[in-house]
Amino acid sequence: NWARELLDKFIIGDEGQENPPFPLKQVFTSELCELARDSKVQHFERILKNAPGKPKYTDCLFFDNELGNCRQIAALGVTVCYCPKGVTRDAFEEAVSNFPCSNGKIIGK
């Protein structure tokens, strides 16, 4: 589907760096790659339940183009980036540079 295709097209890193660029899909195992239509909170809870190493909410970074979803997930203690125009390089870099930010603040808002 389109979301999995995007994971393949979203490249992390730049040519000429110590580590070569790689598609974002290499970061996710099948247990972590889940597409759902229920609430973002329930979705997030399932992902963390299935994730190896039992990460906490504060270990996570969440991107969304809907402010309501961002508010719900930020309330859990997750670092959240509001991306009304999609996950741009600038939005991604801002979120990573502010990680962790588990005080309920929404990056990009």
Side-chain angles (χ1 to χ4, degrees), residues 61 79-80 91-102 105 107-108:
L61 185 52
T79 300
V80 171
F92 183 81
E93 289 176 358
E94 181 181 5
V96 169
S97 70
N98 282 284
F99 180 83
C101 178
S102 57
K105 176 187 171 208
I107 300 161

Side-chain angles (χ1 to χ4, degrees), residues 31-36 38-58 60-62 69 72-78:
E31 297 88 12
L32 295 177
C33 192
E34 177 184 300
L35 304 173
D38 56 357
S39 82
K40 294 293 181 181
V41 171
Q42 291 172 327
H43 186 158
F44 225 87
E45 288 171 346
R46 277 195 310 276
I47 290 171
L48 289 184
K49 178 183 173 188
N50 293 323
K54 302 296 179 200
K56 302 177 196 89
Y57 289 120
T58 54
C60 299
L61 185 52
F62 177 80
N69 291 337
Q72 288 179 354
I73 299 300
L76 299 174
V78 174

Side-chain angles (χ1 to χ4, degrees), residues 10-14 63 86-96:
F10 201 121
I11 305 299
I12 304 297
D14 294 311
F63 298 86
V87 183
T88 63
R89 180 175 293 276
D90 288 342
F92 183 81
E93 289 176 358
E94 181 181 5
V96 169

Side-chain angles (χ1 to χ4, degrees), residues 10-36:
F10 201 121
I11 305 299
I12 304 297
D14 294 311
E15 293 292 337
Q17 298 293 321
E18 181 178 336
N19 296 311
F22 60 92
L24 188 58
K25 77 174 187 177
Q26 288 183 6
V27 174
F28 296 98
T29 64
S30 60
E31 297 88 12
L32 295 177
C33 192
E34 177 184 300
L35 304 173

